Amino acid sequence: MRTSLIFLAPARRASVSALPAYAETEDHVGRFLTESCKTDEGMRAEQAALFSAYTRWCGFEGSNPVSSRAFAARVRETLGMTSPKGMVLSNSRKYYPGIGLIADNDTEEPTPWAR
């Protein structure tokens, strides 16, 4: 008995071309940072508060949040920090320099996840 092989090269190419679009829609941390945060030299965001706002945002979006470690790595990457040593330490709390929640900086009604 002979077994036939089926090659799915065209379908694979379609899948590979769909990866950037899928990655963009599934990048919850990137979307949160773009939609809910602002970067500026004079800003800073407390690490736990920013992660808490992100997890609330995920709840409103219906998506599963990444771990706090993965979130921290992504924020540092976005800010161009090569290690956690670039964090600002104040009163035993760690702060990301150069980023803040939009709701903390606007006079408009804050979004529900930024409270």
Side-chain angles (χ1 to χ4, degrees), residues 8-64:
L8 300 174
R12 179 150 167 60
R13 285 188 194 126
S15 296
V16 170
S17 67
L19 283 176
Y22 175 79
E24 187 175 305
T25 59
E26 294 302 309
D27 179 16
H28 304 298
V29 177
R31 282 188 43 232
F32 168 77
L33 294 173
T34 300
E35 295 173 9
S36 302
C37 297
K38 181 179 178 182
T39 56
D40 188 85
E41 267 187 50
M43 298 180 147
R44 70 179 191 173
E46 199 255 324
Q47 185 178 32
L50 193 62
F51 182 71
S52 179
Y54 162 71
T55 57
R56 286 190 303 274
W57 178 87
C58 283
F60 282 96
E61 291 291 313
S63 59
N64 293 324

Side-chain angles (χ1 to χ4, degrees), residues 56-88:
R56 286 190 303 274
W57 178 87
C58 283
F60 282 96
E61 291 291 313
S63 59
N64 293 324
V66 299
S67 69
S68 61
R69 183 173 287 216
F71 178 79
R74 180 61 193 277
V75 174
R76 288 193 310 269
E77 175 188 323
T78 300
L79 295 174
M81 297 171 64
T82 57
S83 78
K85 292 179 182 178
M87 303 279 290
V88 174

